[in-house]
Amino acid sequence: MHGEYKVPQGKLVVVDFEVVDDVITGFRLAGDFFLEPDEALGAIDAAVNGLSAEADATAIARAITAALPAGTVMLGFSAEGVAVAIRRALKKATSWRDYQWEIVHAKAVSPAMHLALDEVLATEVGAGRRQPTLRIWEWDESAVVIGSFQSVKNEVDPDGAAKFGYDVVRRISGGGAMMMEKGSVVTYSLYVPADLVQGMTFADSYAFLDAWVIDALRALGVDASYQPLNDITSPTGKIGGAAQKRLGNGGILHHVTMSYDMDGEIMTQVLRIGREKLSDKGIASAAKRVDPLRRQAGVERAVIIEQLEKTFAALTDAVPGDITDDEYAAAEALVESKFATPEWLNRVP
């Protein structure tokens, strides 16, 4: 059996082995990674040989880590990366083209409706009732979208939000507050099965799910890169950020907002940007932290979205799709019962 896994922002991991009586034998690890000391390679091979072919990625990575000589340095890969390659060889971990994908670029809806659709569509993918999907958001209202665990009063200035016409809503994923001005952001959601990132660390899954976006932005002349844990950035400033929620039924929501255009001064009046957060980023002003795509790419927002769709389709063979009437109805009910309620918004006051 042969398996390969390109570690996000890292190196290629290649594994070859046989399975005899449900046991991995003849295991050999190769790749363009860096590994010290030399004997660590043999230790990894020995750790995998004899493992059950039914072992999950966590168990494989644990066995590899336990066998490594003291002081081992792994550059460009990890024990988890080896586990993913093994699981792929066993056909128990998946890649992009193992699924039929849809790209949905539907009508503009309210901020609360966008968040409800995220929960509904991720749930449908997890339940197997929807194919994995990329959804591009359209906005005709401005909003501040805060993370699931953020405090409303700590993140949003209510006077500034009211003055500039920003609704305040809370999403189901963690992470920080995003100021989303209508027509001035590029937001997308991925609804994927957990098997697509099976065995990856959380950090690796973020970079893996957004690697195609980096390619799309570079095709537009933006010197984009991924900065762990969840930032899409360039040498001139942050472009956007990702957030993720893993549902109990096996569905994963991964969504990203990138700034297309912005008024930094308005941002500082709508958001309460803490000094501790700014000092951690090594910058003096929130307005200078973000460098929008309009300036970096020099093209219209629609051109950026077109390039995103083109790049994703090339990766996955995705076809155009849509949101069903039943999914819209489920999302509308969720807006009423959850996302538009004071209880949800103020669950962390």
Side-chain angles (χ1 to χ4, degrees), residues 108-109 114 137-143 166 179-187 257-263 292-294 299-302 304-305:
V109 295
H114 275 303
W137 297 24
E138 285 299 341
W139 297 84
D140 56 12
E141 302 176 42
S142 297
Y166 281 81
M179 192 181 89
M180 299 179 167
E181 181 181 354
K182 60 183 179 182
S184 294
V185 293
V186 175
T187 301
T257 291
M258 297 183 288
S259 176
Y260 173 70
D261 201 3
M262 66 173 293
D263 187 321
L293 286 172
R294 181 175 183 176
V299 296
E300 295 298 316
R301 177 178 176 273
I304 293 172
I305 291 173

Side-chain angles (χ1 to χ4, degrees), residues 43-90:
I44 294 173
D45 288 349
V48 176
N49 277 314
L51 289 179
S52 169
E54 298 301 318
D56 63 18
T58 300
I60 296 170
R62 187 184 300 121
I64 292 171
T65 300
L68 292 174
T72 294
V73 177
M74 306 170 76
L75 294 178
F77 79 122
S78 64
E80 290 80 9
V82 177
V84 171
I86 292 169
R87 296 283 293 179
R88 284 188 173 176
L90 292 165

Side-chain angles (χ1 to χ4, degrees), residues 110-135:
S110 70
M113 188 66 170
H114 275 303
L115 303 184
L117 283 170
D118 267 357
E119 183 167 338
V120 167
L121 298 181
T123 299
E124 291 297 288
V125 169
R129 294 186 292 265
R130 162 175 279 276
Q131 299 291 350
T133 301
L134 165 67
R135 180 172 73 94

Side-chain angles (χ1 to χ4, degrees), residues 156-161 163-164 264-272:
V156 184
D157 184 319
D159 294 333
K163 176 181 177 181
F164 295 104
E265 294 305 318
I266 291 179
M267 183 177 78
T268 60
Q269 295 182 59
V270 173
L271 299 182
R272 299 187 191 277

Side-chain angles (χ1 to χ4, degrees), residues 14-198:
V14 181
V15 299
D16 291 280
F17 58 91
E18 297 178 359
V19 174
V20 179
D21 295 331
D22 292 326
V23 173
I24 296 174
T25 63
F27 180 83
R28 300 180 307 280
L29 172 66
D32 59 354
F33 47 76
F34 299 92
L35 178 63
E36 294 289 347
D38 281 352
E39 53 265 31
L41 183 63
I44 294 173
D45 288 349
V48 176
N49 277 314
L51 289 179
S52 169
E54 298 301 318
D56 63 18
T58 300
I60 296 170
R62 187 184 300 121
I64 292 171
T65 300
L68 292 174
T72 294
V73 177
M74 306 170 76
L75 294 178
F77 79 122
S78 64
E80 290 80 9
V82 177
V84 171
I86 292 169
R87 296 283 293 179
R88 284 188 173 176
L90 292 165
K91 307 302 181 186
K92 294 179 179 178
T94 55
S95 59
W96 293 101
R97 288 182 179 267
D98 289 323
Y99 303 95
Q100 293 179 326
W101 289 86
E102 291 186 2
I103 297 175
V104 172
H105 190 177
K107 64 184 180 181
V109 295
S110 70
M113 188 66 170
H114 275 303
L115 303 184
L117 283 170
D118 267 357
E119 183 167 338
V120 167
L121 298 181
T123 299
E124 291 297 288
V125 169
R129 294 186 292 265
R130 162 175 279 276
Q131 299 291 350
T133 301
L134 165 67
R135 180 172 73 94
I136 307 294
W137 297 24
E138 285 299 341
W139 297 84
D140 56 12
E141 302 176 42
S142 297
V144 175
V145 181
I146 63 173
S148 181
F149 311 109
Q150 289 189 297
S151 161
V152 178
K153 66 180 180 181
N154 288 346
E155 299 299 328
V156 184
D157 184 319
D159 294 333
K163 176 181 177 181
F164 295 104
Y166 281 81
D167 191 12
V168 182
V169 290
R170 183 186 297 276
R171 63 181 184 265
I172 62 172
S173 61
M178 301 296 293
M179 192 181 89
M180 299 179 167
E181 181 181 354
K182 60 183 179 182
S184 294
V185 293
V186 175
T187 301
Y188 65 86
S189 295
L190 284 169
Y191 313 107
V192 306
D195 280 350
L196 182 61
V197 296
Q198 207 272 347

Side-chain angles (χ1 to χ4, degrees), residues 314-334:
L315 172 68
T316 63
D317 286 334
V319 299
D322 208 344
I323 300 167
T324 69
D325 291 341
D326 286 346
E327 289 167 339
Y328 273 124
E332 288 168 357
L334 203 52

